[in-house]
Amino acid sequence: MSGTVFYEKARNLSKQLITSGDEVVPTLLVVTNSKLFIADISNLDKDEWYENVQSLLRNHKAVSYVFMAESYQSKVSEDSPEFHKLLTGEITIHELPPDDRCDVLSVIEIANGNKILASSSAEISFDINGKRTLLDFDEHSSVHNKMNILPTNW
């Protein structure tokens, strides 16, 4: 699964931000028939996030977009008590001990019409001085949007 040139631009931009010490806030690279623009979506209302992103894409007549953001990823096994607590919402990944989670950067490209073009993630490592490094991206060969987190139709 490989993305367009915009997907590669987003991965390169996010790598530069990580190595410079900046945080990658939830961002869209919106592709239309005539232009490319960047939309910081970190301040959107969380309760209406999906609808607001969908509206933004519709209003700009987007052909596709690339989503990039930092997040936590759990390292707990399915048989651990923490895993059950995560599933039930009793705790968040952020509340796990540092050894049970890691920082990751995700980059996903989606075209209008329910087409996920490309998806990858990379772990963010920290040295003893707190300097951040982006490890190699892992390509996701098949991506499912079962939770409807990102709009695929607008």
Side-chain angles (χ1 to χ4, degrees):
M1 179 182 285
S2 63
T4 66
V5 65
F6 304 113
Y7 176 74
E8 291 306 320
K9 285 180 184 282
R11 286 178 27 150
N12 291 334
L13 172 62
S14 58
K15 188 171 190 170
Q16 291 172 3
L17 289 169
I18 296 289
T19 55
S20 72
D22 290 331
E23 180 181 345
V24 179
V25 297
T27 304
L28 295 181
L29 271 66
V30 180
V31 181
T32 71
N33 284 327
S34 59
K35 65 181 177 177
L36 168 73
F37 69 92
I38 297 174
D40 173 358
I41 55 171
S42 61
N43 293 323
L44 291 180
D45 182 328
K46 292 186 187 334
D47 293 333
E48 298 176 6
W49 190 91
Y50 184 94
E51 293 80 10
N52 288 334
V53 169
Q54 198 173 37
S55 177
L56 181 142
L57 296 168
R58 194 177 304 116
N59 290 341
H60 290 284
K61 297 179 175 66
V63 175
S64 66
Y65 70 94
V66 179
F67 171 80
M68 58 184 182
E70 286 185 44
S71 62
Y72 288 118
Q73 182 175 339
S74 168
K75 292 183 173 182
V76 298
S77 65
E78 291 183 21
D79 57 348
S80 74
E82 287 81 13
F83 185 78
H84 178 70
K85 290 178 183 178
L86 286 169
L87 286 181
T88 61
E90 190 177 330
I91 62 170
T92 65
I93 292 175
H94 181 17
E95 295 171 310
L96 290 172
D99 288 345
D100 289 343
R101 68 171 194 261
C102 63
D103 290 46
V104 294
L105 172 78
S106 297
V107 180
I108 302 168
E109 183 173 25
I110 298 176
N112 195 4
N114 204 27
K115 297 178 191 139
I116 299 175
L117 302 177
S119 176
S120 60
S121 61
E123 187 172 339
I124 302 167
S125 69
F126 297 83
D127 69 12
I128 58 172
N129 298 317
K131 184 176 180 331
R132 298 166 7 125
T133 304
L134 191 64
L135 302 180
D136 290 337
F137 278 97
D138 290 326
E139 297 291 333
H140 304 213
S141 59
S142 66
V143 180
H144 303 286
N145 194 27
K146 290 180 183 174
M147 295 175 60
N148 265 351
I149 295 172
L150 296 171
T152 55
N153 285 299
W154 55 89

